Amino acid sequence: IFFIMSFKTALQRDLDRFYKALSNDDFNIREVTKGALSQARAKLNPWAFRRLNEVAVAGFYSEASYYVWHGMRVLAVDGSRLMLPRHETVIEEFGEHSFGPKADSKRSMAICSMLYDVLNHLTIDSEIAPYSASERDLLMLHLEKVNSGDILLLDRGYPCFWLLFLLKAKGIEFCVRLKDNWWLEVNEFRKSPEREKVVKFNLPKKDREKLSEHQEIWERELECRLVKVELDNGEIEILCTSLLDSQKYDAEEFGGLYHLRWNEEEAYKLLKSRVELEAFSGKTAKAVKQDFHAKVFLMTMCAAYAHPIEEKVKAEYEADKQEGKHGQKINKTNALAMMMDMAIPMFIKKKFSEALNAFDDLVYKTREVERPGRKLPRLKKPKKPHYMNYKPI
């Protein structure tokens, strides 16, 4: 619970405040030292948080009336990089890379990846690996959690012929964006007046080794549908999908479907900017993995508990839309803060009903107006590192 609650200050101050909340005392008390915590966390396998996340996800899909698109779960995979603390165990496990104009600034970096339900805002699976790993390698690990009949959204960095064949062999539908210069067929389609086109292609011989477990598809032709989507700024996106039925899946729907992938970008913003994942509570490689999977579990619990409130707010949105009013949505940052506040009362003091009722009430009352067509330029600023030795009070 301590790691899930996402404290931001020095470890000893966080521990004192944690035990103050446990004891309902007026003042901070010293029950556990930071040295004792460091020794104890060395025995805690980060897998525990991954397993908790699996249980939460399984419970959600078995009990909730979750959102789907044409009867399919809409899943997306995307990666992000993390700046890690400098420690010998981190360097040993995640490596070290040179940055700066003269490549003389040494940093340890990691790449993380999430399999994300973009309609229900749920992280189904998460991976963290050395920065030298590829996002496509991490995607392969996620595929174990993707069911036949789900639809997978991928950006331009993922598509390759063997991957499309593999998804088809597993019964996974897909909608992926293609690079302009990746395939001659794409360039020709972009220049043509056609809005959509069905294409067929074979698996290149050089890729057969990657699909050695699926030899039955080597000689088959893969049939895909290319769809042209024009963005508001005039840019053209070329999407490739396994959904061939143009009567059931109209070409006009795919722009909105692919745009749902942005919800995973928003999840990363919550994870890195609101929860401040990179302000790690420890320096070791094990501490890094504990914090990563604990924070992912926190977001999953928050999404699951907030789901009924989101359903209620969306139902009100439809009514407001008919009256010409702007709809509303819950404030996810506030929901995460509430989730941290209710961790001790709910999981340690066992006040389940009181905690959930308070969560529902405050999340429902803290809403933001949705303004259609509101867009702001995406500003990229240099990342400011979190310093282990100079934490806020």
Side-chain angles (χ1 to χ4, degrees), residues 296 326 350:
V296 168
H326 288 320
K350 309 299 183 184

Side-chain angles (χ1 to χ4, degrees), residues 74-77 118 151-155 175-176 257-258 260-261:
V74 184
L75 310 181
V77 173
V118 296
I151 184 165
L152 189 61
L153 308 180
L154 299 172
D155 69 10
C175 177
V176 301
L257 172 66
Y258 183 75
L260 290 173
R261 200 189 64 81

Side-chain angles (χ1 to χ4, degrees), residues 1-2 4-5 18 22 52 56 297-298 301-302 305 338-353 355-356:
I1 300 305
F2 178 78
I4 289 169
M5 287 180 67
F18 181 74
L22 277 178
L52 285 169
F297 174 51
L298 168 70
M301 284 196 301
C302 182
Y305 289 145
M338 274 296 301
M339 188 69 236
M340 294 180 219
D341 289 344
M342 66 187 271
I344 289 177
M346 187 171 186
F347 296 113
I348 297 180
K349 298 181 179 179
K350 309 299 183 184
K351 297 181 179 179
F352 298 112
S353 297
L356 287 172

